[in-house]
Amino acid sequence: MASPKKKLQGLVAATITPMTEHGEINFSVIGQYVDYLVEKQGVKNIFVNGTTGEGLSLSTSERRQVAEAWVTKGRNKLDQVVIHVGALSLKESQELAKHAAEIGADGIAVIVPFFLKPQNKDGLIDFLKEVAAAAPALPFYYYHIPALTGVKIRAEELLDGIQEKIPTFQGLKFSDTDLLDFGQCVDQNRQRQFAFLFGVDEQLLSALVMGATGAVGSTYNYLGKKTNQMLEAYERKDFSSALNYQLLFCVGPGWLSTILTWLFFCILTDLQKTKFCIQRFINFVVKLGFGVPQTKAIMTLVSGIPMGPPRLPLHRASKEFIDNAEAKLKSLGFLSFTDLNNVNLEACS
């Protein structure tokens, strides 16, 4: 059975693939990117070539090159580099899995094929099993994101007996808002040392309550430091501070679940004085829209590392989005995107 150096837990940055203005991969900044994650954000685990990394918009050759660059530049700096090797073609996934093992990656992850889709759990398991077998020494993770794949096989159902069929299975990246499904994944597999990695950044605090052992997300590229502080606050049962951090960084419609979590904590810990001013920013960003192009733009502003435009059919974030988002952050008491590490959580009081 595959045995990673240590269990994949805590924050995992879903890395962006930096590109030039001409749409080619900008490998020259990946070393700087690694240093930024480690030194400025305190994030030492990464998830490469996933949704945020535009993995399915890259050629097989490009995906191999990107994986090699992250493994090479991250050596002796990053703890774990997990490569997403999912593809519509079984052969392509197997090729990418084998390559990840050859270059020294720490694990592989696979999304479900979403054009010619598996009709049931057995079909999906058979596909995943064949991909995992191409890299028998690497920990294997399932990437569950039904909103994009359209495959509605519940993660709880998939995990039932999965390790008997895929011995290298180590956990899943759960990118869905169905916290009941996620909670059952945890509850039904308590005896196994699976990594339960939550993938909806704005619901992370709710997922921690349900038993998440870590998180994979795009915002941890530039908000990793503050999210780590939230995790630390949660661990020491300082729920008021934990919620302040979560409210600060909600960027999607899952904010409602976070508010419900707050109500739960209020009942338990009398946190009626928790600040809600950041909800204004949550609502603001939801209305602006938030996806890969916007993530690339914000990462460029925060880190100073050029991420470039997304690859077609996506278009770059508008200047209006960038200007409005920056202005809103400043209006709430933030200094600027480029000094976001120094944000004072009390600024909205």
Side-chain angles (χ1 to χ4, degrees), residues 4-111:
K5 292 175 291 186
K6 61 181 181 179
K7 183 177 179 180
L8 183 59
Q9 59 187 356
L11 295 187
V12 183
T15 57
I16 298 162
T17 298
M19 293 185 182
T20 68
E21 289 302 309
H22 300 291
E24 300 301 319
I25 298 171
N26 186 1
F27 294 102
S28 67
V29 302
I30 290 181
Q32 182 184 358
Y33 193 164
V34 169
D35 291 341
Y36 174 80
L37 288 176
V38 174
E39 297 171 9
K40 300 298 185 181
Q41 299 300 334
V43 175
K44 302 184 74 173
N45 301 305
I46 60 172
F47 186 90
V48 177
N49 286 338
T51 305
T52 302
E54 303 174 81
L56 293 170
S57 293
L58 307 180
S59 69
T60 301
S61 175
E62 287 176 322
R63 291 176 70 172
R64 290 163 61 103
Q65 293 177 67
V66 170
E68 289 175 17
W70 279 104
V71 169
T72 300
K73 297 298 184 179
R75 189 165 290 124
N76 299 321
K77 295 181 179 181
L78 297 171
D79 288 340
Q80 295 199 44
V81 178
V82 176
I83 308 296
H84 172 245
V85 301
L88 299 184
S89 161
L90 173 61
K91 295 297 183 181
E92 185 177 338
S93 279
Q94 290 174 316
E95 177 186 335
L96 290 167
K98 182 179 179 182
H99 175 259
E102 291 172 347
I103 64 175
D106 300 290
I108 56 174
V110 172
I111 197 173

Side-chain angles (χ1 to χ4, degrees), residues 279-305:
Q279 288 180 41
R280 298 195 297 274
F281 180 63
I282 299 169
N283 188 51
F284 182 79
V285 176
V286 168
K287 290 178 179 177
L288 285 179
F290 198 81
V292 171
Q294 292 76 20
T295 295
K296 297 188 91 164
I298 291 177
M299 179 61 172
T300 299
L301 286 167
V302 174
S303 69
I305 304 170

